Amino acid sequence: MVKKFTLFILLGIFGLFTTNLFAQEDATIDPADIRYWIGEGQNEAIFIMNWNNPDTALAWGYRFDTENVTMKTIMDDIAAVDYRFSYDSPNGSWLNDLFFNDGVLDLSLTEEGWVSYLIDGNPTWDTFNEAVVADGQYVKIGDTYCGTMVDPDNWVYVWEKEVAAVYPLADEATIDVADIVYWIGEGENYAIYCVNWNEPNIALAWGYRFTESTITVKDVMDAIVAEDHRLTYAADGGFVYAISYNDYVNQYALVGPYFMYNINGMGAWYGFDEQTVVSGDFIKFGDISCATEIAQWTYVWEQPVQPVDVYNSVNEVEASTMTVYPNPATDFIMINTQDAVSVEIFDMTGRLVLTSTETKIDIRDMEAGVYFVRANGKTTKLVVK
């Protein structure tokens, strides 16, 4: 009885071992976790590359309108948009070398080994320029050195390395120092401070001059808000959780809990009261809802940056009286001001649409909508019908 029981245990262990040996499944990724989608259309496929040394699996999303696409089409379109990825196929049918280099990872598959690929975890013997992919399928190409052979008779490999989503490419928008209008502080050293709000997506920048070799981000922000009362912020220790701008016409607000910020386009990991900057640095705070995540917890904002005008106090603004009539208007408006006229008209996105030095302005070419008229430091709303 004991021997029979022992035999059952050994058979069970052997069965478990053999089941595990042939039960490996190709690792994939949920489409909801894909960060970088390339192409357009209602159909979707996932393209995964599995490299060796180190064993790394990366995934892109691909959208298309046709019933199916070839693997080559997917790879060509990804390589055309994402310069980090490239491949060689000297004869146009077989893959020899595949590369990924983002400045940190430097990955390659070369013809020293051989490349295998799967569609939905199943091997295909079509060449990559003929193998077709349909909506909802995933394609994986891998280095056999880091794969597991699950079917020796048919040379079938799978790759069990967890798949990571490739982050999109994005360049943070900045502004030339020569374009900064409002400079605060004194000294030969300078930094640019920028905030990117959402709803609307707008980025505004100030310049700050200083004499010290290094200063903190908090030093910059405190100096700017002390002089420009349109800008305010709130912080909890080293974390900023609210930044607001109000010029009595435009009101923008970031409301936390906390905000990430960049120094020269790279995420800052110190609290704003400890993070130091040197001359030439570019500081940007932003709402992540209008940013692109390019690495874990690293965001960039691509909205073009506008320089803020020099701040005029409320008393200075009110001292320069200005009215616009008729309002609403359809053909012409009249500017009534005590000073010489220098008029700028902006649309709701902040785009300058008209300038004039006349008191009577032709607006017949302007589309119906709400605008802001600025003249001699005074701003008022204009409705064009």
Side-chain angles (χ1 to χ4, degrees):
M1 183 68 177
V2 174
K3 291 182 179 180
K4 183 180 291 186
F5 181 71
T6 303
L7 178 61
F8 286 153
I9 293 176
L10 291 174
L11 288 174
I13 293 173
F14 178 75
L16 180 63
F17 173 77
T18 55
T19 299
N20 288 339
L21 179 64
F22 296 103
Q24 290 89 347
E25 294 184 359
D26 196 51
T28 184
I29 185 171
D30 192 299
D33 295 328
I34 294 294
R35 298 177 182 272
Y36 194 8
W37 287 95
I38 293 169
E40 296 180 354
Q42 295 182 345
N43 297 330
E44 296 180 347
I46 297 175
F47 176 72
I48 302 172
M49 277 296 315
N50 209 125
W51 281 275
N52 189 22
N53 195 26
D55 187 7
T56 305
L58 300 177
W60 292 258
Y62 183 75
R63 293 191 172 107
F64 54 101
D65 276 326
T66 54
E67 182 179 354
N68 52 56
V69 293
T70 66
M71 287 176 55
K72 186 178 187 301
T73 298
I74 295 175
M75 295 172 64
D76 286 346
D77 288 350
I78 292 176
V81 175
D82 190 343
Y83 64 82
R84 297 168 295 186
F85 171 71
S86 61
Y87 77 92
D88 290 331
S89 177
N91 63 5
S93 300
W94 299 103
L95 292 168
N96 279 23
D97 304 317
L98 300 103
F99 307 95
F100 181 87
N101 190 334
D102 64 359
V104 177
L105 290 172
D106 187 1
L107 307 170
S108 63
L109 296 184
T110 68
E111 58 186 4
E112 294 176 0
W114 58 277
V115 175
S116 181
Y117 53 87
L118 306 174
I119 296 178
D120 279 354
N122 298 310
T124 175
W125 297 109
D126 293 327
T127 56
F128 89 111
N129 61 319
E130 294 180 346
V132 295
V133 183
D135 181 37
Q137 292 188 315
Y138 78 86
V139 182
K140 180 182 279 190
I141 298 176
D143 186 338
T144 58
Y145 290 143
C146 57
T148 300
M149 182 178 284
V150 294
D151 185 353
D153 293 334
N154 293 296
W155 294 89
V156 177
Y157 286 80
V158 299
W159 293 267
E160 300 172 273
K161 177 68 177 180
E162 181 179 358
V163 179
V166 173
Y167 285 91
L169 291 167
D171 293 322
E172 181 157 274
T174 183
I175 186 171
D176 193 281
V177 175
D179 294 329
I180 294 292
V181 174
Y182 192 7
W183 285 96
I184 294 167
E186 297 180 352
E188 296 181 353
N189 298 327
Y190 72 89
I192 297 175
Y193 176 74
C194 176
V195 182
N196 207 127
W197 286 274
N198 193 21
E199 294 183 357
N201 187 7
I202 188 167
L204 300 178
W206 292 254
Y208 179 68
R209 293 192 176 100
F210 56 99
T211 57
E212 301 89 339
S213 59
T214 63
I215 54 173
T216 66
V217 173
K218 186 177 188 298
D219 292 333
V220 176
M221 295 175 65
D222 286 346
I224 293 174
V225 299
E227 186 166 329
D228 189 344
H229 299 300
R230 298 170 296 187
L231 185 71
T232 59
Y233 79 89
D236 181 4
F239 298 96
V240 176
Y241 65 84
I243 308 178
S244 300
Y245 177 89
N246 187 345
D247 63 4
Y248 307 103
V249 175
N250 303 298
Q251 297 184 28
Y252 312 125
L254 297 183
V255 180
Y258 300 109
F259 295 108
M260 302 296 293
Y261 66 97
N262 292 348
I263 305 293
N264 301 326
M266 298 301 296
W269 295 103
Y270 293 100
F272 86 120
D273 56 342
E274 297 180 356
Q275 178 67 54
T276 58
V277 294
V278 298
S279 183
D281 280 349
F282 178 78
I283 308 163
K284 182 182 280 189
F285 280 79
D287 186 336
I288 63 174
S289 64
C290 59
T292 299
E293 188 177 15
I294 61 169
Q296 188 173 21
W297 300 109
T298 301
Y299 298 84
V300 300
W301 293 265
E302 300 173 273
Q303 174 72 16
V305 179
Q306 305 175 35
V308 294
D309 293 330
V310 174
Y311 175 71
N312 293 313
S313 69
V314 175
N315 292 335
E316 289 175 323
V317 171
E318 291 179 346
S320 177
T321 60
M322 184 268 290
T323 58
V324 176
Y325 64 92
N327 193 0
T330 56
D331 300 323
F332 295 89
I333 57 172
M334 298 294 297
I335 306 296
N336 181 15
T337 178
Q338 298 175 350
D339 305 313
V341 178
S342 176
V343 182
E344 296 175 320
I345 301 180
F346 300 85
D347 65 14
M348 289 290 289
T349 68
R351 181 175 62 91
L352 179 64
V353 297
L354 188 150
T355 61
S356 177
T357 57
E358 304 295 329
T359 56
K360 183 178 181 180
I361 301 175
D362 185 346
I363 61 168
R364 287 176 293 183
D365 291 335
M366 292 172 55
E367 296 181 358
V370 178
Y371 296 84
F372 298 104
V373 180
R374 181 179 297 165
N376 305 323
K378 182 74 172 180
T379 303
T380 190
K381 185 179 295 184
L382 167 67
V383 177
V384 176
K385 302 179 75 175

